[in-house]
Amino acid sequence: MTTAVYPGSFDPVTNGHLDVIERGSKLFDKVIVGVLHNSAKSPLFSVEERVNILKEATAHLNNVEIVAFSGLSVEFARKCGAKVIIRGLRAITDFEYELQMAQTNRVLAPDIDTMFLTTSLEFAYLSSTTVKEVATFGGDISKFVPEFVSREVYKKLGSQ
Ligand code: PNS
């Protein structure tokens, strides 16, 4: 059985993330989405909230599991028995950071590879940060995230 992990912050999950998860779920027997609990950051949603939102958004995918993790992504992959880390690549601007991370991870864990899925064109511009910024000013985020996620974002921000 081939298992891949997809680590990230998912604050909140966007349609771009969901596109990567759906495509990954067709390539691997199992995809475990790792939601990073990073005490140094103050995300909009708690790790429990992000896990629950992702569970609901991926409920139709029966080979996808959502778990919280802290620490290194390669350690998380090891614990899950995964040899592959999935990451989405939107544009050339992502490349330098992603390459550095993939190469660091490969030095830390030579038995684990990073596989990049290029984001579908319709989501190439999309990020959790821009979703939060648009929502902060009461803008329409319905094209960026599933409907129930947009409700959660507005509720959290107290906008709309
Ligand atoms: O969604 P993000 O914020 O782009 O995801 C970044 C993430 C979680 C993949 C990255 O920050 C990460 O792997 N953090 C865990 C710590 C780690 O493994 N660092 C080493 C890679 S340089």
Side-chain angles (χ1 to χ4, degrees), residues 7-13 17 34-36 41 43 45 50 54 87 128:
S9 304
F10 307 107
D11 185 42
V13 66
H17 295 128
V35 182
L36 183 68
K41 276 191 182 176
F45 291 96
R50 284 178 278 146
L54 267 156
R87 291 286 292 167
S128 300

Side-chain angles (χ1 to χ4, degrees), residues 7-10 17 36 41 69 71-74 87 97-98 100-101 104-105 108:
S9 304
F10 307 107
H17 295 128
L36 183 68
K41 276 191 182 176
F69 81 102
L72 294 174
S73 284
V74 288
R87 291 286 292 167
Y97 167 64
E98 292 294 338
Q100 185 184 30
M101 201 155 59
T104 306
N105 285 339
L108 293 172

Side-chain angles (χ1 to χ4, degrees), residues 15-20 22-23 88-91 117-126:
N15 290 336
H17 295 128
L18 292 170
D19 173 56
V20 169
E22 288 204 11
R23 285 160 56 208
L89 265 187
R90 288 168 300 191
L117 292 183
T118 50
T119 306
S120 298
L121 274 181
E122 70 228 79
F123 305 124
Y125 62 91
L126 192 52

Side-chain angles (χ1 to χ4, degrees), residues 122-135:
E122 70 228 79
F123 305 124
Y125 62 91
L126 192 52
S127 75
S128 300
T129 305
T130 52
V131 168
K132 285 179 282 194
E133 175 148 343
V134 172

Side-chain angles (χ1 to χ4, degrees), residues 55-128:
K55 279 186 178 166
E56 190 168 338
T58 59
H60 60 296
L61 302 169
N62 54 20
N63 64 338
V64 172
E65 211 180 292
I66 316 294
V67 276
F69 81 102
S70 50
L72 294 174
S73 284
V74 288
E75 290 305 329
F76 171 64
R78 276 218 182 97
K79 274 188 207 136
C80 295
K83 293 276 181 230
V84 175
I85 293 175
I86 299 175
R87 291 286 292 167
L89 265 187
R90 288 168 300 191
I92 195 72
T93 41
D94 281 342
F95 186 72
E96 204 168 331
Y97 167 64
E98 292 294 338
L99 181 69
Q100 185 184 30
M101 201 155 59
Q103 288 175 334
T104 306
N105 285 339
R106 194 133 163 74
V107 172
L108 293 172
D111 54 324
I112 296 172
D113 261 303
T114 299
M115 197 172 124
F116 294 109
L117 292 183
T118 50
T119 306
S120 298
L121 274 181
E122 70 228 79
F123 305 124
Y125 62 91
L126 192 52
S127 75
S128 300

